[in-house]
Amino acid sequence: MESSSLGKNREFLPLDLPSYTEATSSKSVSLSLPASLADVRTTRITALINNTIIPSFQALTMSGLSRRTFLLIPSDAAYTISSHSEIPSLSLEDADHVEIIRLSGPENSLGFWQQRAVVQDLQTMLRAQLGVSGERVTNRKVASQSSPAIKQNKGSWWGRKSKRPSYTEQNTADEVEDVEEVQLGEIKVDVALEEMVLRVENEMGLYETQPGKAVAIPVNLPTKHDDQGQGESPLCDWYLKGALTMSVLIPGSQTIRKNLTPTTVQFYEFLGLKLINKMPQPEAKFDLYFLAYDTPSSPSAWTSRSGVLELTHNYGTENDPNYQVVNGNTEPYRGFGHVCISVDNIQAACKRISDAGYKFQKRLEDGRMRNIAFALDPDGYWVEIISTKNYEKITSLESTDLSTYRFNHSMLRVKDATASLKFYQEIMGMTLLRTKENAAAGFNLYFLGYPAGRPIPKDEEEGVNPIAEWEGLLELTWNYGTEKDPGFAYHNGNAEPQGFGHICVSVDDLDAACARFESLNASWKKRLTDGRMRNVAFLLDPDGYWIEIIQNDGFKSSNL
């Protein structure tokens, strides 16, 4: 038997996560001026990438272009760009397409973009974003700043002499020799503030040139030749994944609803997860996406895997600016807590996530618990990061290997620990693998799963979590005293407002398993015989969380 969990509604306010009191401390933190400036830069640049650059890049890629250059025009620039400009730039003759993005607001002034740190941060974060699908990004080695070489042209469109920068293959004095060529599977991107000359159409319908500064972002996508060697086409599978909504699996699956844009998929792919299955449901206006850590030893049947994340996309939510889901960590909708990823070198892993521009609910250095962190996905769901090694002994390591990452567990808060442990062990057949009592803080943590013959771990040795390398576990968090309050209840994520959806358990024989649950007087949300979907059932646990039951395709006939 295997289990999985799916997610539901979410929103992210500072939340009291009982299992990590230190992580949600309300103490104010005084940031230094440099740290404050860096935070402002990160916020502005992240918004620009996610809301403007990536969507534009996706649209251009789907049109079949392999090279393009973005020009970011500061909000206070003197350019008067007409929407009818057919050839917007005289400076970039070699680009297949030039996309002009006129920035708005005082926060995008030329003064802001003239800062070298801003340009460098944009380059670093954009390279990280474009590398999430598995393509390698060519990082050009530079002595000072990475910028394209410039040559001065002797003639203008008007026939007069003018200084028009254009991109060449030569190296500048700031650039180290032996710049890598773009190879198959790579994306090459550079960012630089440049003097530009644009050709624009004035109000009289005549073209004129206008000089000024703009942030130039030339991008080269990898290409491949067709079988006949005629032409080339961009490798753009990543950009075709579209918008989603989220779910999660334990040796089966767990679901979280999301207003998924391409950035949501990118986030989980950035963490190393791979799309292993997709179930389009156009008649019901939703699609299901299943992601997991894919290794050579992974079972061929996705229903046989432990640790699967299911993303549920309801059509149209990506176009609704008011659509939100609750993340399960805000009052009065607390219930689902987080999903958890275990990594090899936690300091390096968290730095990589931060450098890519993603936000944190708790960083490693926050509070007293320096061995865990909580990242925020694009919809505000919490993703706990834990280490498979003693974090105190790996502080000097600067690299992290995505192939070692594991989808460790999903956390649910429960009202009555005794009732929940009895249900998950006796009804669902799970084994209690680990218990962490925190009497001083008033809560306990229970970790359950399906060992499948694997030895049950002992206590921590040398500061290492004994189940950090496992996948598909369920963590139950019990806060002392809730069981004594007859009016207390957690939000199951399926009542409005929605967010978390369910956990999932795959079984060897679906009919026999459901007959067994019936004999044990389990509570049902949907029996196999209910509705038109006769290949799936849903149980209810003592707190009303949904548990999906599906057939494990790796088995066909043995008893539960």
Side-chain angles (χ1 to χ4, degrees):
M1 178 183 289
E2 301 188 355
S3 102
S4 114
S5 90
L6 298 170
K8 242 202 159 242
N9 297 348
R10 64 154 198 73
E11 60 188 69
F12 49 101
L13 298 175
L15 134 88
D16 176 20
L17 180 60
S19 49
Y20 304 105
T21 305
E22 295 81 356
T24 56
S25 173
S26 60
K27 296 180 180 179
S28 61
V29 179
S30 177
L31 295 178
S32 65
L33 182 56
S36 298
L37 290 174
D39 186 61
V40 170
R41 289 200 306 269
T42 298
T43 300
R44 293 183 185 180
I45 294 172
T46 300
L48 176 68
I49 291 175
N50 292 341
N51 300 331
T52 302
I53 297 178
I54 294 299
S56 297
F57 195 20
Q58 179 188 19
L60 290 171
T61 301
M62 295 179 69
S63 70
L65 298 172
S66 62
R67 293 184 300 174
R68 74 288 329 286
T69 295
F70 295 99
L71 288 184
L72 307 184
I73 310 299
S75 57
D76 57 350
Y79 289 129
T80 55
I81 300 171
S82 166
S83 60
H84 301 291
S85 300
E86 297 179 358
I87 308 176
S89 174
L90 296 178
S91 304
L92 304 165
E93 296 94 339
D94 295 333
D96 281 356
H97 187 93
V98 177
E99 179 78 3
I100 292 183
I101 301 174
R102 184 64 184 259
L103 304 177
S104 61
E107 68 276 11
N108 283 308
S109 67
L110 179 58
F112 176 72
W113 285 103
Q114 281 182 322
Q115 301 176 89
R116 173 176 291 186
V118 173
V119 174
Q120 290 177 334
D121 285 356
L122 174 58
Q123 178 171 269
T124 299
M125 294 164 63
L126 186 56
R127 283 176 171 173
Q129 282 278 49
L130 296 182
V132 297
S133 62
E135 291 88 350
R136 286 193 300 113
V137 179
T138 300
N139 284 305
R140 300 166 61 136
K141 300 177 180 179
V142 296
S144 57
Q145 71 177 42
S146 177
S147 62
I150 297 175
K151 68 180 181 181
Q152 300 301 329
N153 296 316
K154 296 182 179 180
S156 72
W157 180 77
W158 291 100
R160 299 194 304 264
K161 291 184 178 180
S162 64
K163 294 182 179 180
R164 300 199 313 255
S166 65
Y167 294 93
T168 74
E169 297 302 322
Q170 301 173 357
N171 295 329
T172 65
D174 291 336
E175 195 170 310
V176 178
E177 296 181 357
D178 299 327
V179 177
E180 296 180 77
E181 296 294 329
V182 178
Q183 302 295 330
L184 186 64
E186 297 178 348
I187 294 177
K188 183 177 180 180
V189 58
D190 290 295
V191 180
L193 182 68
E194 296 289 356
E195 292 283 350
M196 289 291 163
V197 179
L198 298 188
R199 179 179 2 177
V200 300
E201 185 181 1
N202 62 25
E203 63 277 4
M204 299 179 63
L206 299 176
Y207 286 103
E208 61 182 32
T209 57
Q210 293 186 3
K213 288 187 176 182
V215 178
I217 310 175
V219 181
N220 264 1
L221 281 180
T223 59
K224 61 181 178 181
H225 293 276
D226 58 27
D227 293 339
Q228 291 74 34
Q230 298 175 349
E232 50 187 23
S233 58
L235 302 178
C236 57
D237 291 345
W238 168 49
Y239 300 100
L240 301 179
K241 291 180 181 174
L244 319 174
T245 300
M246 174 183 176
S247 325
V248 185
L249 300 158
I250 306 182
S253 85
Q254 161 188 336
T255 298
I256 302 172
R257 293 183 182 85
K258 281 176 159 283
N259 178 19
L260 292 185
T261 65
T263 56
T264 304
V265 180
Q266 294 165 18
F267 172 81
Y268 287 102
E269 289 184 328
F270 186 77
L271 294 181
L273 293 159
K274 301 295 179 61
L275 183 66
I276 61 171
N277 191 36
K278 177 182 177 181
M279 294 183 179
Q281 308 288 330
E283 70 286 349
K285 300 187 183 307
F286 70 87
D287 292 339
L288 304 178
Y289 297 75
F290 300 85
L291 298 96
Y293 287 106
D294 202 10
T295 67
S297 61
S298 298
S300 57
W302 73 270
T303 54
S304 298
R305 297 191 182 206
S306 298
V308 180
L309 177 66
E310 177 187 354
L311 306 179
T312 301
H313 171 226
N314 295 299
Y315 296 175
T317 54
E318 71 278 11
N319 299 320
D320 183 356
N322 298 317
Y323 180 82
Q324 285 188 326
V325 290
V326 296
N327 68 0
N329 290 310
T330 59
E331 295 292 0
Y333 307 118
R334 291 207 305 163
F336 167 74
H338 59 263
V339 295
C340 175
I341 304 297
S342 61
V343 302
D344 53 352
N345 303 323
I346 191 168
Q347 291 90 346
C350 288
K351 183 180 185 303
R352 177 176 176 270
I353 295 171
S354 180
D355 287 348
Y358 294 113
K359 297 182 179 180
F360 282 80
Q361 177 67 27
K362 176 200 178 296
R363 297 181 181 274
L364 283 176
E365 61 269 22
D366 297 338
R368 291 179 299 170
M369 301 180 68
R370 302 301 175 91
N371 60 335
I372 62 169
F374 283 88
L376 292 173
D377 86 349
D379 284 280
Y381 288 111
W382 291 21
V383 180
E384 184 181 14
I385 311 297
I386 64 174
S387 180
T388 58
K389 303 175 182 178
N390 185 327
Y391 77 101
E392 294 179 339
K393 297 181 179 180
I394 56 176
T395 55
S396 61
L397 299 180
E398 298 181 353
S399 62
T400 181
D401 183 358
L402 295 181
S403 68
T404 66
Y405 288 18
R406 297 292 181 267
F407 188 177
N408 183 252
H409 71 258
S410 302
M411 189 274 268
L412 300 176
R413 298 179 180 88
V414 297
K415 175 180 178 178
D416 187 330
T418 300
S420 293
L421 289 172
K422 178 180 176 67
F423 172 83
Y424 282 104
Q425 291 179 95
E426 297 183 6
I427 304 295
M428 300 310 302
M430 291 184 178
T431 298
L432 181 61
L433 303 172
R434 189 185 187 208
T435 299
K436 289 190 66 176
E437 296 183 354
N438 297 274
F443 68 87
N444 288 354
L445 306 178
Y446 306 93
F447 295 86
L448 302 101
Y450 297 105
R454 191 173 183 175
I456 298 178
K458 304 298 182 181
D459 294 336
E460 292 187 10
E461 296 182 7
E462 297 183 356
V464 177
N465 183 339
I467 55 175
E469 294 186 358
W470 289 50
E471 286 197 296
L473 304 181
L474 177 65
E475 176 188 0
L476 302 180
T477 297
W478 168 54
N479 293 293
Y480 298 174
T482 53
E483 75 282 3
K484 300 177 182 178
D485 184 352
F488 185 87
Y490 284 115
H491 186 67
N492 71 0
N494 287 299
E496 294 292 344
Q498 294 182 324
F500 168 82
H502 58 269
I503 64 171
C504 173
V505 173
S506 62
V507 297
D508 57 349
D509 187 317
L510 184 57
D511 291 324
C514 288
R516 174 181 174 275
F517 293 139
E518 193 75 61
S519 70
L520 294 173
N521 297 317
S523 297
W524 296 93
K525 179 64 181 179
K526 176 198 176 299
R527 290 180 168 85
L528 278 179
T529 54
D530 295 339
R532 293 181 299 172
M533 298 179 64
R534 302 303 175 90
N535 62 342
V536 61
F538 283 88
L539 293 174
L540 295 174
D541 87 345
D543 287 274
Y545 294 116
W546 295 16
I547 304 172
E548 184 180 16
I549 310 298
I550 62 174
Q551 174 66 47
N552 183 334
D553 294 332
F555 299 88
K556 290 299 179 184
S557 62
S558 60
N559 292 330
L560 181 65

